[in-house]
Amino acid sequence: MNDGPAGTPDRGGGVADLLRGNRRWAAQTERDRPGFFSALVKQQRPRYLWIGCADSRVPANEIVGLPPGEVFVHRNVANLVVHSDLNCLSVMEFGLSVLGIEDVIVCGHYGCGGVTAALQPSEGRLFDHWIRHIRDIAKFYRERLEAIEDPAARSRLLCELNVAVQVVHVEESPVVQALRKAGRTVRVHGWIYDVGDGLLRDLTSMVAEVRAFEPA
Ligand code: CO
């Protein structure tokens, strides 16, 4: 029975350990910040909407050092913002229109399984329908991707392009367009996380590049 990396639950104990871990965490949090939970009961007023990958190595709050109550989160495989995905769109509408969030963060990560799979032939799985959206991006940027010999570097570029395209999808969504038309501020940020060093990188310049291809 080996302990995982610092801060992760012991794999040997299973879900019972999670419940014990939760009691420890709740008690510690209340000791550190008395009244923390009773304040959160009244309402949630998160400042950020996070759209990220479902990957277990990229937990939204943890990697930006924010406690519960600060980040409204939607995660799916490869952090996609699909124009017909009612799940993601509902999260966006609720977060922006109702909760009044102004900053949306689309966060991808290097080594994303969904992105890497999109560079391989389809295997006819359900999952292949989902990552078809990434294959479309790969087709659009084919020349740029094929200019890179190293498969890992190629995957990294597609991870970045995918984030940038999803940022544009957020901006193009009816909910964001309606809010902006009504004078509300919505800023959309594209970030990528490196599982290897724990650091986030800003993709603003790549977002600008991708946006230039889109119709006004
Ligand atoms: Co991923």
Side-chain angles (χ1 to χ4, degrees):
M1 193 159 70
N2 294 322
D3 283 330
T8 62
D10 182 339
R11 292 209 92 148
V15 294
D17 271 359
L18 300 187
L19 296 173
R20 276 192 290 276
N22 164 256
R23 285 193 290 273
R24 276 197 303 274
W25 170 80
Q28 188 64 48
T29 302
E30 189 59 32
R31 268 197 300 278
D32 293 345
R33 298 172 68 173
F36 178 79
F37 294 107
S38 53
L40 276 186
V41 165
K42 293 181 195 118
Q43 61 175 333
Q44 64 162 337
R45 296 199 66 176
R47 290 183 56 192
Y48 308 101
L49 167 57
W50 178 278
I51 300 173
C53 184
D55 193 301
S56 66
R57 298 165 297 179
V58 197
N61 285 65
E62 209 164 338
I63 62 174
V64 289
L66 286 176
E70 300 285 346
V71 192
F72 198 59
V73 176
H74 174 79
R75 290 168 69 183
N76 61 42
V77 171
N79 43 272
L80 300 185
V81 177
V82 175
H83 300 301
S84 57
D85 177 5
L86 293 177
N87 184 350
C88 181
L89 297 177
S90 300
V91 169
M92 280 169 50
E93 185 181 72
F94 191 79
L96 300 172
S97 301
V98 180
L99 297 177
I101 293 170
E102 294 186 350
D103 287 286
V104 183
I105 296 152
V106 177
C107 184
H109 66 102
Y110 294 124
C112 182
V115 171
T116 304
L119 288 166
Q120 307 295 324
S122 169
E123 293 180 26
R125 304 156 294 191
L126 176 65
F127 169 73
D128 284 294
H129 290 280
W130 182 250
I131 62 169
R132 175 74 229 185
H133 298 292
I134 313 172
R135 293 191 198 281
D136 288 341
I137 299 169
K139 271 166 91 175
F140 193 86
Y141 292 98
R142 187 174 170 174
E143 279 183 27
R144 215 167 140 182
L145 289 163
E146 284 185 351
I148 300 172
E149 294 274 324
D150 175 34
R154 190 182 287 181
S155 168
R156 286 169 73 90
L157 175 60
L158 186 53
C159 288
E160 294 171 353
L161 288 167
N162 180 46
V163 169
V165 169
Q166 307 315 322
V167 166
V168 174
H169 287 181
V170 173
E171 290 176 332
E172 286 176 342
S173 66
V175 58
V176 169
Q177 291 191 340
L179 286 168
R180 284 180 170 168
K181 205 171 167 192
R184 284 267 307 275
T185 300
V186 181
R187 292 173 292 264
V188 192
H189 316 271
W191 292 353
I192 194 147
Y193 177 75
D194 192 332
V195 173
D197 64 13
L199 295 176
L200 287 160
R201 288 159 180 80
D202 184 273
L203 294 176
T204 298
S205 57
M206 182 168 280
V207 171
E209 249 179 85
V210 165
R211 199 186 282 121
F213 278 110
E214 302 290 332

